[in-house]
Amino acid sequence: MDWMLVNPHINRTFSGLGTYIGDKYCIGPNCQEILVEILHKLTVEDCNVRSFRRAISFSQVIKKDLLSLLYNVKNDPKVIDLIVKILVNLTVPVECLLPLNIMLKTDQGRNTIYELNWLLTSCKEAFLDPRSTCTIIVYIQEILDKGDKISPDDCESINNFLLLLRNILHIPEVRGGAPGGGASHQNHIVWNLFSQHLDKVLIQLITNQNRSYWVMVMVQLIPLIYKDQHVGTLQRLLNHWFDEAMSESSDDNESNTSPQNYQRIADMIAKKGQIPPHKHNTNHH
């Protein structure tokens, strides 16, 4: 397997992003240059072999290096954007990376598909850590708080954050879900997002004057958030939060924060964007 020859280089490359010294994470001096190199390798790798990302799939660099860096980098939009672009690239569905009808005909092709699916599952499991989704929500909120000063680069950043959430939620569960018969990974991530005020952020994104930058991704994201979710269950599990949100809403007959209202908003956006509601495109942007 040629990707095995890449693996030692993978660990050396990613370790240069930073390291923990005690409880403190220290960012490497060449962090940005290394991220640029990683993103470049992902974009130019052989489209029939995908050696670079297959090597990543059997390392711990996503959780140990990329997400650790994302949690700890401060006031450096370029580094944050590079991390997110890499994570978006790593979470692109397998069917968008390979000609599956051809690859499935050979043992080597089937093994490649298996290893890439393993990478996707590893990414989804890494996002069970509530810090991962919380960091994304916080960064989106910080950009939205700029108001009229939001730049085109800021809009692209929001779009990439939403692409990452879309890709993570699109990944199927293939390792049997959570251990001990608990909530599925999908439910776990969705519940984390709601506890981190995702619904308030969604409303701000939908009503923001720059929404044309990210509206198409939101049309894809919202159905994934509610896929296989029973609204009543979500409301019971997050009842304390919804009660607070509803108490802050207007005296309308229906709260702006209700899941039913979100779905109607998603359908309205989908109609405006001429995309059928509940249908999402998994192609990498």
Side-chain angles (χ1 to χ4, degrees), residues 220-232:
Q220 299 162 359
L221 175 61
I222 290 176
L224 285 171
I225 293 172
Y226 293 106
K227 181 182 179 182
D228 299 327
Q229 301 292 329
H230 190 281
V231 172

Side-chain angles (χ1 to χ4, degrees), residues 3 6 28 39 59-61 64 67 81 93 95 125 128 154 157 212 233 270:
W3 60 261
V6 185
L39 184 60
S59 67
Q60 299 295 319
V61 297
K64 181 172 67 73
L67 287 181
D81 284 345
E95 60 266 27
E125 290 176 348
L128 292 174
D154 290 329
S157 295
S212 61
T233 301

Side-chain angles (χ1 to χ4, degrees), residues 1-12 49-59 111 115:
M1 296 183 182
D2 54 354
W3 60 261
M4 294 183 69
L5 302 176
V6 185
N7 205 41
H9 177 65
I10 290 282
N11 291 324
R12 287 195 300 271
V49 181
R50 302 291 181 181
S51 298
F52 189 63
R53 70 184 65 219
R54 287 166 66 194
I56 291 175
S57 71
F58 287 92
S59 67
N111 188 60
E115 290 170 0

Side-chain angles (χ1 to χ4, degrees), residues 14-262:
F14 279 82
S15 64
L17 294 175
T19 186
Y20 277 100
I21 299 178
D23 294 331
K24 183 179 180 181
Y25 186 85
C26 297
I27 298 174
N30 300 317
C31 170
Q32 184 171 329
E33 291 78 5
I34 294 172
L35 290 171
V36 170
E37 177 189 355
I38 293 169
L39 184 60
H40 175 72
K41 287 182 176 180
L42 284 170
T43 55
V44 302
E45 67 178 350
D46 188 320
C47 61
N48 291 315
V49 181
R50 302 291 181 181
S51 298
F52 189 63
R53 70 184 65 219
R54 287 166 66 194
I56 291 175
S57 71
F58 287 92
S59 67
Q60 299 295 319
V61 297
I62 295 170
K63 185 175 182 179
K64 181 172 67 73
D65 296 301
L66 285 176
L67 287 181
S68 291
L69 180 60
L70 184 64
Y71 302 153
N72 289 278
V73 65
K74 305 294 181 184
N75 303 317
D76 197 333
K78 290 184 178 179
V79 169
I80 294 169
D81 284 345
L82 283 167
I83 298 169
V84 173
K85 286 178 180 178
I86 290 170
L87 289 170
V88 169
N89 198 301
L90 288 172
T91 53
V92 170
V94 176
E95 60 266 27
C96 299
L97 296 172
L98 299 171
L100 294 185
N101 58 330
I102 297 175
M103 301 295 288
L104 286 169
K105 294 179 180 179
T106 66
D107 289 341
Q108 182 179 357
R110 287 189 290 271
N111 188 60
T112 298
I113 293 171
Y114 171 81
E115 290 170 0
L116 292 176
N117 277 322
W118 185 274
L119 170 63
L120 293 178
T121 301
S122 298
C123 288
K124 187 153 193 163
E125 290 176 348
F127 270 77
L128 292 174
D129 187 330
R131 291 178 298 172
S132 60
T133 48
C134 183
T135 301
I136 292 173
I137 296 297
V138 168
Y139 282 140
I140 292 175
Q141 187 64 64
E142 287 179 352
I143 294 175
L144 291 173
D145 287 344
K146 293 182 180 181
D148 295 337
K149 296 181 179 180
I150 295 178
S151 68
D153 286 344
D154 290 329
C155 292
E156 182 183 354
S157 295
I158 288 179
N159 190 66
N160 287 333
F161 283 126
L162 296 175
L163 281 171
L164 178 55
L165 290 178
R166 179 203 67 179
N167 286 359
I168 290 295
L169 292 175
H170 181 266
I171 297 170
E173 297 190 39
V174 296
R175 296 185 191 171
S184 69
H185 292 156
Q186 184 84 351
N187 286 347
H188 190 139
I189 294 170
V190 169
W191 294 337
N192 284 344
L193 285 166
F194 273 100
S195 69
Q196 294 155 2
H197 311 312
L198 171 67
D199 51 354
K200 283 187 175 181
V201 171
L202 286 176
I203 287 178
Q204 291 181 68
L205 289 169
I206 289 169
T207 58
N208 190 277
Q209 62 182 358
N210 298 294
R211 59 186 175 273
S212 61
Y213 281 90
W214 52 73
V215 65
M216 303 304 285
V217 184
M218 289 195 66
V219 170
Q220 299 162 359
L221 175 61
I222 290 176
L224 285 171
I225 293 172
Y226 293 106
K227 181 182 179 182
D228 299 327
Q229 301 292 329
H230 190 281
V231 172
T233 301
L234 282 173
Q235 286 177 318
R236 286 193 297 272
L237 289 170
L238 298 171
N239 188 54
H240 67 283
W241 194 91
F242 279 120
D243 285 345
E244 178 184 349
M246 289 178 181
S247 68
E248 295 174 355
S249 67
S250 64
D251 293 329
D252 294 341
N253 291 333
E254 183 176 23
S255 168
N256 289 333
T257 58
S258 70
Q260 295 92 335
N261 199 38
Y262 278 143

Side-chain angles (χ1 to χ4, degrees), residues 259-273:
Q260 295 92 335
N261 199 38
Y262 278 143
Q263 193 56 66
R264 282 204 297 274
I265 292 172
D267 291 348
M268 178 183 67
I269 295 173
K271 183 177 180 181
K272 182 177 180 181

